[in-house]
Amino acid sequence: MSLNVSSFSFSLGLTGGILFVALILGRTGKTGPIMWTMTGAANQLLRQFGLLFFLAAVGTSAGSSLVSTFQEFGLELFVYGILITLIPMIITTIIGRTFFKLNMLTLLGTLTGSMTSTPGLAAVDNLVDTDAPSVAYATVYPIAMVLLIIVVQILSLL
């Protein structure tokens, strides 16, 4: 799916296209004999495999340049990264608990979904026996992913 208007070009790319189609098929539910939903056990198995492969890929690619990045930029870059990550999470937690009276498990799912952090969701899921974090994550994640794709496209023009 691609949109090209004079100097502005927009494309969902492979990941965005798959997400878009999955959202449509999930809403459809069934096409003839094909069910577009899966059992809870199959969903959990795919989630664990996906998380395993994702963390392996991210870990091996990030680990190769970690030392050189630290040597080049020092501790300052890592401190900025920590602040950029923690400050929005703290503000969101305060607003969610104070004004919206969100359950902490729902809030944790919402936070991990808004950060598109599948490892964060896995950490929360391993601590609880309820689906509340996963439901909140699944609600917020598609919106965050689409907005992330759009914002990256806009920032690339600047």
Side-chain angles (χ1 to χ4, degrees):
M1 177 183 286
S2 179
L3 172 67
N4 191 355
V5 179
S6 65
S7 66
F8 179 75
S9 178
F10 175 78
S11 173
L12 288 178
L14 180 64
T15 306
I18 290 172
L19 177 63
F20 188 70
V21 170
L23 287 170
I24 291 171
L25 292 176
R27 176 67 178 114
T28 303
K30 184 177 180 182
T31 305
I34 300 173
M35 298 282 294
W36 296 111
T37 58
M38 65 178 81
T39 65
N43 188 351
Q44 186 66 22
L45 178 70
L46 284 177
R47 260 199 265 171
Q48 292 300 322
F49 270 132
L51 180 61
L52 176 81
F53 290 130
F54 173 76
L55 290 177
V58 169
T60 54
S61 65
S64 65
S65 62
L66 183 67
V67 173
S68 63
T69 302
F70 184 73
Q71 288 173 342
E72 184 177 344
F73 297 104
L75 189 61
E76 184 179 0
L77 183 66
F78 290 95
V79 170
Y80 288 146
I82 291 168
L83 292 175
I84 288 170
T85 303
L86 286 180
I87 290 173
M89 288 174 49
I90 291 169
I91 291 170
T92 302
T93 302
I94 292 169
I95 291 171
R97 293 287 288 168
T98 306
F99 298 109
F100 295 111
K101 309 287 188 226
L102 290 177
N103 172 329
M104 186 54 83
L105 296 177
T106 301
L107 185 57
L108 287 171
T110 303
L111 281 170
T112 57
S114 66
M115 295 180 346
T116 65
S117 176
T118 306
L121 176 66
V124 173
D125 273 346
N126 287 335
L127 298 175
V128 297
D129 292 332
T130 181
D131 283 341
S134 296
V135 170
Y137 177 90
T139 304
V140 175
Y141 181 87
I143 297 165
M145 183 58 74
V146 169
L147 287 175
L148 181 65
I149 293 167
I150 291 170
V151 168
V152 166
Q153 294 283 332
I154 291 170
L155 288 176
S156 70
L157 295 174
L158 300 177

